[in-house]
Amino acid sequence: MQSSNTAMHGKNCMVTGATAGIGEVTAQALARMGADVILVGRSQQKCANTVTRIKEKTGNSSVEYLLADLSSQAQIRELVAQFHNRYDRLDVLVNNAGGAFIWRQESVGGIEMTFALNHLNYFLLTNLLLDTIKNSSPARIVNVSSNSHYGANINFEDLEGKRKYWWNTAYGQSKLANVMFTYELARRLEGTSVTVNALNPGFVATDIGKNNGWYTRLILWFLRLWALTPQEGARTNVYLASSHEVEGVTGKYFFKEKQVESDPASYDLEAARRLWEVSAEMVGI
Ligand SMILES: NC(=O)c1ccc[n+]([C@@H]2O[C@H](COP(=O)([O-])OP(=O)(O)OC[C@H]3O[C@@H](n4cnc5c(N)ncnc54)[C@H](OP(=O)(O)O)[C@@H]3O)[C@@H](O)[C@H]2O)c1
């Protein structure tokens, strides 16, 4: 993958969900630019294999991994403790791990899985790392959202789909939450040299949805004919994580390396503040 930026030497970059799909390609591209890359994944075997693959492909030996099931708040806290034991700076955080769940499931902490993994994970991990990120500034946070956030809303009366669960509604809500979290965090980071932006990678041929049985996998396999490759899907991640063109740009939403408007609901200041408060309560910070 090409990039306009080759000055990532000496920068610590953490990429979550880096054992597959868009995340792996992002981690690989940053490693190719000379960054010190920290992969986050939930499977030791997959992490070890991905690190080996990236080292072989890029010739960069500074690629390591940390383990966590990011739907678990306890494991996110453990991950951050391990991070602090090993590193003293974080220049780039790419919040990318996510999934779609056709049937309602709950995380080990008893929170609906889509909300726990796709939103509360980004929220808690970022907040726990924020002091380190600020101390490493100029620094960047990149939140992977989705086209699915258009038309979604945050259902404060039933955030976890306890009364009624439809996977697409839950997924859209979580991806709208990614955008609202990004904008609210950007407002809270005003006056610092930390930027935070969200993006839509496009429809990408990855293993997303793999947790939902053979029927879903079959449909996704068929749809792949129209999808972007993971290399194409990761371009905006890499752009926001590394390009000089977006230096100082914050609180924006991107698609295909261009700033675009997100859904009108994402600009609701009151809802964003409320989402922040509810999320803080749910993760206990
Ligand atoms: N693919 C698309 O068309 C598309 C479109 C819009 C947005 N997105 C977004 O892009 C991001 C990446 O998705 P992808 O398409 O690359 O999917 P993917 O191929 O399924 O990769 C998802 C990554 O997240 C990891 N992950 C999943 N659950 C996890 C958990 N509980 N704890 C830790 N890691 C976990 C996976 O690890 P394992 O390897 O262990 O499963 C994998 O590394 C997601 O945020 C998704 O919402 C994707």
Side-chain angles (χ1 to χ4, degrees):
M1 174 174 293
Q2 300 296 312
S3 169
S4 54
N5 185 335
T6 52
M8 295 301 283
H9 293 267
K11 290 194 189 289
N12 278 355
C13 301
M14 179 186 281
V15 181
T16 72
T19 52
I22 298 164
E24 176 171 353
V25 178
T26 303
Q28 189 180 306
L30 293 172
R32 186 160 284 137
M33 289 181 224
D36 301 320
V37 181
I38 304 144
L39 278 60
V40 177
R42 59 182 161 169
S43 150
Q44 179 140 32
Q45 193 58 55
K46 276 191 180 180
C47 282
N49 291 344
T50 310
V51 163
T52 304
R53 255 195 320 274
I54 292 179
K55 283 181 176 175
E56 279 172 6
K57 285 183 178 169
T58 64
N60 182 341
S61 59
S62 187
V63 183
E64 298 180 333
Y65 70 86
L66 291 170
L67 277 177
D69 174 346
L70 293 167
S71 66
S72 158
Q73 293 176 21
Q75 290 200 26
I76 292 174
R77 290 178 189 280
E78 179 57 27
L79 164 75
V80 172
Q82 284 179 32
F83 172 84
H84 284 134
N85 284 339
R86 279 162 63 173
Y87 309 94
D88 56 10
R89 58 180 299 118
L90 186 58
D91 302 273
V92 175
L93 169 63
V94 182
N95 283 309
N96 165 80
F101 303 90
I102 298 250
W103 297 281
R104 190 179 184 283
Q105 300 173 35
E106 290 187 354
S107 66
V108 285
I111 295 174
E112 189 279 310
M113 188 60 95
T114 324
F115 199 71
L117 176 63
N118 293 6
H119 168 60
L120 292 178
N121 151 36
Y122 287 21
F123 182 85
L124 180 59
L125 182 63
T126 305
N127 273 293
L128 293 178
L129 290 169
L130 205 52
D131 283 342
T132 307
I133 295 173
K134 282 183 191 164
N135 290 336
S136 314
S137 63
R140 302 179 183 198
I141 300 164
V142 178
N143 292 327
V144 179
S145 176
S146 166
N147 195 40
S148 301
H149 92 274
Y150 289 105
N153 79 306
I154 307 289
N155 183 358
F156 286 104
E157 310 316 315
D158 189 21
L159 273 179
E160 298 183 57
K162 284 182 178 165
R163 283 183 227 148
K164 190 173 165 201
Y165 182 82
W166 169 238
W167 73 271
N168 204 23
T169 308
Y171 184 74
Q173 172 180 260
S174 71
K175 291 291 147 183
L176 174 60
N178 295 159
V179 183
M180 292 170 83
F181 165 55
T182 299
Y183 293 169
E184 180 64 19
L185 182 59
R187 287 188 282 274
R188 290 173 187 240
L189 286 170
E190 250 174 42
T192 72
S193 298
V194 179
T195 63
V196 52
N197 292 293
L199 69 106
N200 164 26
F203 176 52
V204 189
T206 65
D207 282 339
I208 197 162
K210 64 180 177 287
N211 313 307
N212 300 295
W214 68 268
Y215 183 67
T216 314
R217 282 203 297 276
L218 188 67
I219 294 173
L220 286 171
W221 182 85
F222 180 69
L223 290 174
R224 277 171 170 228
L225 297 171
W226 290 273
L228 301 173
T229 64
Q231 283 70 23
E232 291 166 328
R235 288 187 72 96
T236 309
N237 279 6
V238 179
Y239 175 73
L240 290 175
S242 64
S243 174
H244 289 306
E245 285 174 22
V246 280
E247 233 163 51
V249 175
T250 192
K252 306 293 182 205
Y253 179 76
F254 288 77
F255 176 52
K256 291 191 174 170
E257 302 172 72
K258 294 273 177 291
Q259 192 188 311
V260 295
E261 290 295 298
S262 52
D263 190 89
S266 64
Y267 299 104
D268 182 334
L269 295 179
E270 188 44 46
R273 261 196 302 272
R274 187 173 174 195
L275 178 65
W276 185 285
E277 279 159 22
V278 172
S279 305
E281 198 172 312
M282 289 177 83
V283 301
I285 57 167

